[in-house]
Amino acid sequence: MYRNILVVGFLLAFLSIYSQQYTTQLFNTDNGLPQNSVKDIIKDKYGFIWLTTENGIVRYDGLNFLVYKNFPLNSQRFTYFYGNPEKDSIFTDGDYGKTVLIHQKAPKVINNIKKSPSLIARGYINYSLSISNYTYSYFFMNFKKGRYFIAENSIIYEGRHSNSQIQVIEKPVYKNSPNTFVIGETLFYIDHNAKKVRTIEEGRFTADYDVPVIADVRSKVFWNRMSGQGFVLNNNTLYRYTYSNGAFKISKLVQLENVIQSTLMSIYYDEKYKKLYLGSSTDGLKIVSLTDFISSKKKNPKSLAVFYAIQPFSDSCVITPEGEIYNRNGLVKSKNFGKNISYFLGFDKYRNIITRKEQTLLVYDKQRDFLDFQRISTGEETVKDFLFANGKYYVLSSKQKKGSTEFTGVLSIYEDWPYKSLKKKYFFASEPTRIMLTDGGNILVGTIKGLFKLPAVPGKIYKLNGHNELSIRDVIRSKDGNIWITTLGKGFYLLKNNSLIKLPVDSEGNLLSSHTILEDRNGYFWISTNNGLYKIKENMLLKYVQNRNFKIHYYKYSKETGFSTNEFNGGANINGNKLKNEEFVLPSLDGLVFFNPLKVKSYYPTDIYLERARIDGKESFFANTLTLSQENTRAEIFIDVPYYANPDNVIIQTHLDNEKKNEWISVGKDRKILLGSLGNGTHILTVRMLVSDQQKYIFKKIKITVPPFFYQTLWFKLLTCFLLLCLFYLSIKWRTSFLRKKNYELEAVIQLRTKILSETVNNLEVTQIKLGKEIEQQKKLIGTITHDITTPLKFIALTSKEVLNYQEMSVSNTERILNSIYKSSNQLYNFTKTLKEYADIYNEYRTDETELYSLYSLVEEKKILFEEIANNHNTTIVNLVSKQLMIRTSKNILAVIIHNLIDNSVKFTRNGIITINGSDKDTLIILEITDTGIGMDDQKIEYYTKLQENIENEKLLLQKYGMGLHLVLQLLQMIESKIIIKRNEAKGTSFQLILKNRNND
């Protein structure tokens, strides 16, 4: 039953912005394609675009073309795709009996599938599978309930479960182009005579549609069952049609230029990225990007389209200082303000428009439709910014310094009207740029050298940027009250607590010269620069302010999204506008850029694939593990990301397990990872990619294994160590056996002799040393004794001779002579006694085997010995040595030393005290004997000190100073100890013995 259904047609307003605004990219053999004939286009389930050409199959990811043309086939020519992308099964025919299957992002050759043939023979005619507008002379189409065979003069339907055939039509179906197309499970026939499109279901016509643009013989229909898309190209206008629930809809998509309809073979529309892919039989691939941005300018191509200051004029229009009014479609009309300065435009409190010519303000009257204006002279001042707030006019102007090219700044505040009722003036040393009032009533003034704060209550002017120079571009207050500052060449800042906090910029440094910031309803900042438009959410910037380790990434829009140029303009008093219809308008070097920020999408990649590598120039594929050799000189890993927007927004970073912790390295725009020299073992490469405005990432890890050389393996090292040990063991064993044999022959002869000689030599060496010392001591002692004993003996002899010479002697002479003889004899006796003690001790020292004994007990013995004599002198001896202090020094020698020292102290101390104290320090024992006697004179102390230092060579003055201390010094040398003699501060002498205590071994 036929129905005449009115098509919901020609929705010319639908996507009207695309009818004029788009950008194109052309690819051919010069920039990526293997051949200039693109037969079919399809997108797989992973997001990659696939093309068939006459020289291979091409995969496109939005940045690179990956060409496959080395199939094991006689020909690399391919036509159309068929199959099911959602099931990851895309086919294209190659040689007879061979099919190429695209599965898991890569093509491979397989045998033809018998259940789904691409060629059916009926009699003497071969019918080819028709899956798109690319057809042969005879073709067939498969449906769930049956199959259509289409020839030049007929359409025959054959049910799937019946052998019966239905002759649908018996007249010419096409002459120059096919007159059938498919949407879903419905076949459509174009009836050019009736100017209708007719549906065919199960071999019968079921409905008619009035679609003149499709029925027009000048139109060319494009369709593809795999993508479910249909298009009509008529007079360079491309329409898209859809069919659902019995409703056939068609809408204008874009007005194309420079498209040759006859060479256009395939079309695919990516709805997500709003991109059209047009395949040509001669010109390669053209990608048409339908833009969200509109560059509005005059229709005259020769007119300048450089814009600076603009102000909103209506809900959808802006006005320029020249009085030109623009909306998104171009110039609407002009108020003909004339040639005014492009960098200044403002409103007064009555919404009159204010422009400037040099030092003159022109105020255009709103009540008279801006046709009349009033002139206001500013004298020598040039107005830079102007605003009306709180019932006052704020005029920011500059003034040139006399005899200089530099400018100073002036902020004038007027009560009622500029340059009439002045209330307050502020002066600045540099040229001003921007003024803003804060919520608290403070005034912010930007200059080319810094930002200044003027408090609400007149007072001191504060410079907020310290000693750093900042050329202020704009001062912006966001919805939540934050104040943001843009600068020329120094980035942009947040003003917080009277401090400027610098925000990080993009990787290319374009944000260093930011013009202005516009904030949309969702809290996103849109920042214009000299190279692109950047977008970021304000809360991301505030997170960085709270945590400087937080990473910030900006989303970039460039000219392929709809700008005529990437260079936006700044430097005016107003560098961007928000309109009441929620559109933003930004001035640029080539037009006013209109866009609705709520409709402009941020495209982030969603999938990342690491499956390809090039090792030493040879490409290889891997799953989750890449195996390399240590002999590889160059290894590259390709990162495949299906992404069809601005590649600058693909943020990929890598981390290798042997690098610094948490250090992420950015991947270049070529999306390659160059691996350096990796040691043998297993390495984990982590790749992360930014996937949202909220700075979220997805991660991918692959394992890289580098097998060791055989000599680096553990088994080789163990085997080598084992062999070396065996070799060492055998060599030692052989050498030992050889030496043992020789030793056996000599051992019996020399063993006894060696032992005897060794003992003899050792004894002789010890004896020689001892004898040498003894002889030296004896020589010195004998020489000294010989010298010193002569005097008393000679004196005794002379005195005796004197007695003999006297025949009669007086009692006094007799007493004198006998007294002299007594003293000399007694001196000689004491000297001889001391000499005997020294000799006895020295003999005992040779065989003295020291043992551990108590120093306190030894001192106590000597104390008891001299206690009676000391008492007769009214002197007290005190032993303060610790009873726990043990010593191993020769007891006999130390006893003599202590005996002599106590003896000396007792002799020369009357009515005093002798104190003996002891302590240990490391391996030394300090024994100190202190008396309160008459004290030793300095000459003697100096003598004994020098004698101790050079006792081997000094001559002993026994006669002059006596034998006692000489004996002590000799004994101290024998036990490797020293004495320190010093006078006490009060009276008396201190003898400090520094004794070397022998080890207990």
Side-chain angles (χ1 to χ4, degrees):
M1 180 178 181
Y2 295 94
R3 294 176 297 163
N4 292 321
I5 301 177
L6 178 64
V7 178
V8 183
F10 303 122
L11 300 178
L12 297 181
F14 178 71
L15 296 177
S16 62
I17 60 172
Y18 303 136
S19 64
Q20 298 297 326
Q21 297 285 332
Y22 63 86
T23 61
T24 61
Q25 294 172 282
L26 181 62
F27 296 97
N28 49 36
T29 54
D30 296 331
N31 55 357
L33 292 184
Q35 202 264 346
N36 286 332
S37 178
V38 177
K39 301 296 182 63
D40 203 0
I41 308 170
I42 196 63
K43 193 174 190 179
D44 66 14
K45 66 177 292 186
Y46 304 101
F48 294 99
I49 299 290
W50 291 88
L51 315 173
T52 53
T53 74
E54 293 189 359
N55 190 25
I57 301 173
V58 181
R59 191 185 82 177
Y60 178 57
D61 62 4
L63 182 67
N64 300 306
F65 291 96
L66 186 60
V67 179
Y68 298 90
K69 60 179 182 179
N70 295 318
F71 298 105
L73 302 171
N74 294 330
S75 172
Q76 303 298 315
R77 301 178 64 180
F78 299 93
T79 54
Y80 58 88
F81 293 115
Y82 60 96
N84 191 331
E86 295 303 317
K87 294 183 178 180
D88 198 17
S89 299
I90 301 175
F91 302 93
T92 184
D93 288 338
D95 293 340
Y96 290 107
K98 297 290 185 180
T99 299
V100 175
L101 168 64
I102 299 174
H103 178 68
Q104 292 185 348
K105 304 175 288 298
K108 63 179 179 179
V109 177
I110 62 172
N111 293 325
N112 282 345
I113 303 174
K114 294 181 179 180
K115 293 182 179 180
S116 302
S118 59
L119 190 68
I120 296 177
R122 285 289 187 269
Y124 297 100
I125 300 176
N126 292 327
Y127 290 87
S128 299
L129 176 65
S130 177
I131 197 72
S132 66
N133 55 284
Y134 184 89
T135 60
Y136 300 92
S137 297
Y138 300 93
F139 53 92
F140 72 93
M141 299 179 184
N142 289 322
F143 292 84
K144 291 180 180 179
K145 295 182 179 181
R147 177 179 292 160
Y148 291 91
F149 291 90
I150 302 173
E152 293 181 356
N153 298 309
S154 65
I155 297 178
I156 299 173
Y157 175 76
E158 183 181 274
R160 183 172 296 276
H161 302 292
S162 173
N163 293 326
S164 62
Q165 294 183 348
I166 299 175
Q167 190 79 27
V168 180
I169 192 171
E170 293 186 52
K171 61 180 180 179
V173 178
Y174 59 87
K175 291 182 180 180
N176 298 323
S177 62
N179 289 337
T180 57
F181 61 90
V182 177
I183 302 177
E185 289 295 310
T186 304
L187 176 66
F188 292 84
Y189 170 68
I190 305 172
D191 191 337
H192 291 287
N193 296 325
K195 303 295 183 181
K196 293 182 181 294
V197 174
R198 308 177 67 184
T199 59
I200 303 174
E201 296 179 0
E202 297 185 44
R204 293 178 176 83
F205 290 103
T206 57
D208 295 339
Y209 297 92
D210 292 318
V211 193
V213 71
I214 294 181
D216 191 337
V217 293
R218 295 171 298 178
S219 296
K220 185 173 182 179
V221 178
F222 298 85
W223 60 279
N224 190 303
R225 292 194 70 181
M226 292 179 66
S227 64
Q229 295 180 351
F231 306 91
V232 180
L233 182 61
N234 180 276
N235 194 25
N236 286 342
T237 301
L238 186 67
Y239 302 88
R240 184 179 181 188
Y241 60 81
T242 59
Y243 179 76
S244 177
N245 298 323
F248 192 99
K249 298 180 181 181
I250 186 169
S251 57
K252 185 178 180 180
L253 192 56
V254 66
Q255 180 72 35
L256 297 171
E257 296 178 1
N258 303 321
V259 174
I260 302 175
Q261 182 167 304
S262 61
T263 63
L264 193 60
M265 299 191 68
S266 53
I267 300 177
Y268 176 78
Y269 179 53
D270 191 334
E271 296 187 56
K272 176 181 178 181
Y273 291 94
K274 297 181 182 179
K275 288 181 181 289
L276 273 170
Y277 295 83
L278 308 178
S280 170
S281 61
T282 57
D283 300 325
L285 175 68
K286 179 181 285 188
I287 301 177
V288 178
S289 300
L290 308 181
T291 66
D292 293 311
F293 296 86
I294 304 298
S295 286
S296 179
K297 46 192 170 182
K298 295 178 183 178
K299 294 182 180 180
N300 184 359
K302 295 182 180 180
S303 299
L304 282 176
V306 180
F307 294 90
Y308 289 94
I310 52 175
Q311 289 283 9
F313 186 77
S314 68
D315 292 353
S316 60
C317 296
V318 294
I319 190 168
T320 69
E322 291 79 18
E324 295 176 341
I325 301 170
Y326 291 85
N327 65 11
R328 62 175 21 254
N329 295 318
L331 178 64
V332 177
K333 60 181 177 180
S334 177
K335 297 295 183 180
N336 298 315
F337 291 168
K339 190 64 177 176
N340 295 323
I341 298 299
S342 301
Y343 297 95
F344 175 79
L345 188 62
F347 293 101
D348 66 9
K349 65 178 179 179
Y350 303 108
R351 300 302 293 173
N352 298 321
I353 296 176
I354 303 176
T355 65
R356 177 171 65 84
K357 280 187 179 180
E358 301 304 331
Q359 280 76 38
T360 301
L361 293 180
L362 305 178
V363 183
Y364 291 88
D365 192 347
K366 180 181 180 183
Q367 298 297 326
R368 297 180 177 273
D369 198 24
F370 305 105
L371 297 177
D372 293 335
F373 63 90
Q374 175 186 356
R375 295 177 183 270
I376 300 177
S377 175
T378 63
E380 296 181 353
E381 296 179 0
T382 301
V383 177
K384 306 292 290 187
D385 200 4
F386 181 99
L387 63 88
F388 176 81
N390 304 324
K392 300 181 183 66
Y393 284 99
Y394 297 81
V395 181
L396 188 66
S397 57
S398 64
K399 185 177 180 181
Q400 188 170 4
K401 296 180 182 178
K402 292 183 179 180
S404 174
T405 58
E406 296 183 353
F407 291 82
T408 58
V410 180
L411 172 61
S412 303
I413 303 176
Y414 298 92
E415 280 289 352
D416 184 37
W417 187 248
Y419 296 94
K420 282 190 177 182
S421 52
L422 180 64
K423 182 180 179 183
K424 183 71 176 176
K425 264 195 175 185
Y426 297 91
F427 297 92
F428 303 92
S430 55
E431 182 179 358
T433 56
R434 197 75 170 88
I435 181 176
M436 191 190 79
L437 300 183
T438 67
D439 292 336
N442 298 319
I443 306 172
L444 294 177
V445 175
T447 73
I448 62 171
K449 291 190 177 180
L451 181 68
F452 297 86
K453 177 184 175 182
L454 285 63
V457 179
K460 183 179 178 181
I461 299 176
Y462 297 94
K463 187 178 182 182
L464 301 178
N465 52 293
H467 297 292
N468 299 322
E469 286 195 1
L470 292 178
S471 181
I472 306 301
R473 276 289 194 180
D474 206 351
V475 182
I476 306 99
R477 179 172 46 238
S478 61
K479 290 183 298 185
D480 56 8
N482 291 319
I483 296 177
W484 303 85
I485 314 296
T486 62
T487 70
L488 181 62
K490 297 292 183 67
F492 69 103
Y493 298 76
L494 170 66
L495 178 60
K496 187 175 184 180
N497 299 327
N498 293 328
S499 297
L500 291 175
I501 302 172
K502 186 173 183 179
L503 278 301
V505 298
D506 60 299
S507 59
E508 297 176 341
N510 296 323
L511 284 166
L512 287 173
S513 293
S514 306
H515 299 316
T516 190
I517 299 174
L518 298 178
E519 183 183 13
D520 66 23
R521 192 171 6 125
N522 294 328
Y524 284 94
F525 281 0
W526 298 78
I527 311 172
S528 60
T529 72
N530 287 328
N531 188 5
L533 177 64
Y534 289 83
K535 174 184 174 183
I536 190 170
K537 207 158 190 179
E538 183 187 23
N539 66 354
M540 295 294 105
L541 299 176
L542 296 177
K543 282 185 179 180
Y544 171 81
V545 172
Q546 295 174 354
N547 178 14
R548 303 302 166 88
N549 294 323
F550 183 73
K551 298 298 181 182
I552 289 179
H553 298 287
Y554 300 87
Y555 190 90
K556 181 181 180 181
Y557 296 92
S558 50
K559 61 185 298 183
E560 59 267 17
T561 58
F563 315 150
S564 297
T565 176
N566 280 334
E567 187 168 350
F568 292 87
N569 282 333
N573 70 312
I574 182 75
N575 300 313
N577 290 144
K578 302 178 185 178
L579 302 181
K580 290 185 178 180
N581 65 355
E582 294 190 328
E583 283 193 320
F584 287 177
V585 188
L586 293 168
S588 77
L589 275 182
D590 191 12
L592 291 169
V593 178
F594 283 76
F595 65 98
N596 187 329
L598 303 180
K599 294 181 180 179
V600 176
K601 292 184 178 180
S602 297
Y603 297 100
Y604 284 93
T606 57
D607 297 300
I608 185 170
Y609 303 102
L610 284 80
E611 302 168 333
R612 299 186 300 122
R614 184 184 290 125
I615 304 172
D616 292 340
K618 185 178 180 181
E619 191 165 319
S620 64
F621 294 85
F622 61 93
N624 296 316
T625 302
L626 175 63
T627 302
L628 300 176
S629 170
Q630 295 185 67
E631 296 177 342
N632 296 139
T633 58
R634 183 180 179 86
E636 296 173 306
I637 298 177
F638 298 96
I639 303 175
D640 293 324
V641 179
Y643 180 75
Y644 305 97
N646 188 344
D648 291 336
N649 297 316
V650 179
I651 307 298
I652 302 175
Q653 297 172 325
T654 65
H655 174 72
L656 196 60
D657 57 1
N658 59 355
E659 295 173 345
K660 293 181 180 179
K661 187 177 181 182
N662 296 329
E663 181 180 0
W664 290 93
I665 300 174
S666 296
V667 176
K669 292 183 180 180
D670 57 358
R671 300 176 193 170
K672 296 179 184 178
I673 303 173
L674 180 62
L675 296 176
S677 178
L678 298 177
N680 68 85
T682 300
H683 308 272
I684 303 299
L685 176 66
T686 304
V687 180
R688 72 177 186 180
M689 182 174 68
L690 186 70
V691 294
S692 79
D693 288 323
Q694 303 299 320
Q695 316 292 322
K696 293 182 179 179
Y697 295 86
I698 60 171
F699 293 82
K700 177 75 174 181
K701 290 186 178 182
I702 62 170
K703 184 187 296 183
I704 302 174
T705 60
V706 183
F709 292 118
F710 74 93
Y711 55 81
Q712 295 175 322
T713 57
L714 179 61
W715 66 265
F716 179 84
K717 293 177 181 178
L718 293 175
L719 180 61
T720 302
C721 291
F722 176 75
L723 292 176
L724 288 175
L725 288 174
C726 290
L727 182 62
F728 181 74
Y729 171 76
L730 293 175
S731 63
I732 293 296
K733 187 175 182 180
W734 175 84
R735 183 65 177 170
T736 303
S737 178
F738 174 78
L739 293 176
R740 186 182 292 115
K741 183 178 180 181
K742 292 294 183 180
N743 287 340
Y744 283 157
E745 297 175 358
L746 298 175
E747 191 174 20
V749 178
I750 66 173
Q751 185 175 9
L752 183 60
R753 294 181 182 179
T754 301
K755 182 178 180 181
I756 296 173
L757 287 174
S758 178
E759 292 176 352
T760 302
V761 169
N762 290 336
N763 292 333
L764 287 175
E765 287 178 353
V766 173
T767 304
Q768 184 179 2
I769 293 172
K770 289 183 178 181
L771 287 176
K773 289 184 178 180
E774 182 178 354
I775 292 170
E776 191 66 26
Q777 295 284 352
Q778 289 178 352
K779 282 182 179 180
K780 188 182 295 184
L781 185 63
I782 291 171
T784 302
I785 293 171
T786 304
H787 176 271
D788 290 348
I789 204 173
T790 303
T791 301
L793 288 176
K794 184 177 180 180
F795 180 82
I796 293 173
L798 292 175
T799 305
S800 301
K801 185 178 179 180
E802 183 180 355
V803 174
L804 294 175
N805 292 334
Y806 280 106
Q807 295 183 2
E808 290 183 3
M809 295 181 60
S810 66
V811 175
S812 59
N813 285 335
T814 302
E815 184 179 350
R816 177 181 61 80
I817 292 170
L818 290 175
N819 187 50
S820 297
I821 293 172
Y822 167 75
K823 287 182 179 180
S824 297
S825 301
N826 187 59
Q827 180 182 358
L828 185 62
Y829 167 76
N830 290 330
F831 183 84
T832 306
K833 181 181 177 183
T834 302
L835 182 64
K836 181 177 182 302
E837 289 178 354
Y838 175 86
D840 292 340
I841 291 172
Y842 196 88
N843 290 331
E844 291 174 3
Y845 174 72
R846 296 183 195 172
T847 58
D848 184 39
E849 293 183 2
T850 59
E851 60 182 7
L852 195 65
Y853 60 93
S854 172
L855 182 59
Y856 170 85
S857 299
L858 180 61
V859 172
E860 191 67 20
E861 289 178 4
K862 297 301 179 181
K863 172 191 171 186
I864 294 171
L865 181 65
F866 288 98
E867 207 163 32
E868 187 64 30
I869 300 173
N871 290 335
N872 291 333
H873 295 161
N874 199 24
T875 297
T876 305
I877 301 174
V878 180
N879 181 7
L880 298 178
V881 178
S882 173
K883 294 182 180 181
Q884 283 75 35
L885 186 60
M886 307 299 288
I887 191 168
R888 197 183 283 275
T889 302
S890 173
K891 187 174 183 180
N892 292 333
I893 294 176
L894 186 57
V896 173
I897 292 172
I898 294 173
H899 182 97
N900 277 274
L901 293 176
I902 294 176
D903 184 34
N904 279 344
S905 295
V906 170
K907 286 180 181 178
F908 299 105
T909 303
R910 297 289 188 275
N911 300 317
I913 185 171
I914 300 171
T915 305
I916 306 170
N917 205 341
S919 62
D920 60 339
K921 184 179 180 181
D922 297 330
T923 58
L924 301 176
I925 290 180
I926 311 300
L927 183 66
E928 188 170 9
I929 301 174
T930 304
D931 62 56
T932 58
I934 61 175
M936 185 180 293
D937 60 47
D938 294 335
Q939 185 178 358
K940 285 184 180 181
I941 293 175
E942 182 180 0
Y943 164 75
Y944 286 119
T945 301
K946 289 183 178 179
L947 179 62
Q948 180 176 227
E949 293 174 354
N950 196 19
I951 198 167
E952 297 290 337
N953 301 318
E954 277 303 320
K955 182 178 179 181
L956 306 180
L957 303 181
L958 302 182
Q959 185 180 13
K960 184 175 182 180
Y961 294 116
M963 187 68 183
L965 280 177
H966 291 86
L967 176 62
V968 169
L969 293 178
Q970 292 287 341
L971 295 178
L972 286 172
Q973 185 187 27
M974 293 170 60
I975 61 175
E976 300 177 352
S977 300
K978 290 186 178 182
I979 187 171
I980 297 175
I981 307 172
K982 59 182 179 180
R983 292 175 61 89
N984 298 330
E985 290 184 4
K987 61 178 180 176
T989 307
S990 294
F991 301 89
Q992 189 178 68
L993 297 176
I994 302 175
L995 305 173
K996 184 176 181 180
N997 194 12
R998 298 187 183 181
N999 295 330
N1000 295 332
D1001 45 55

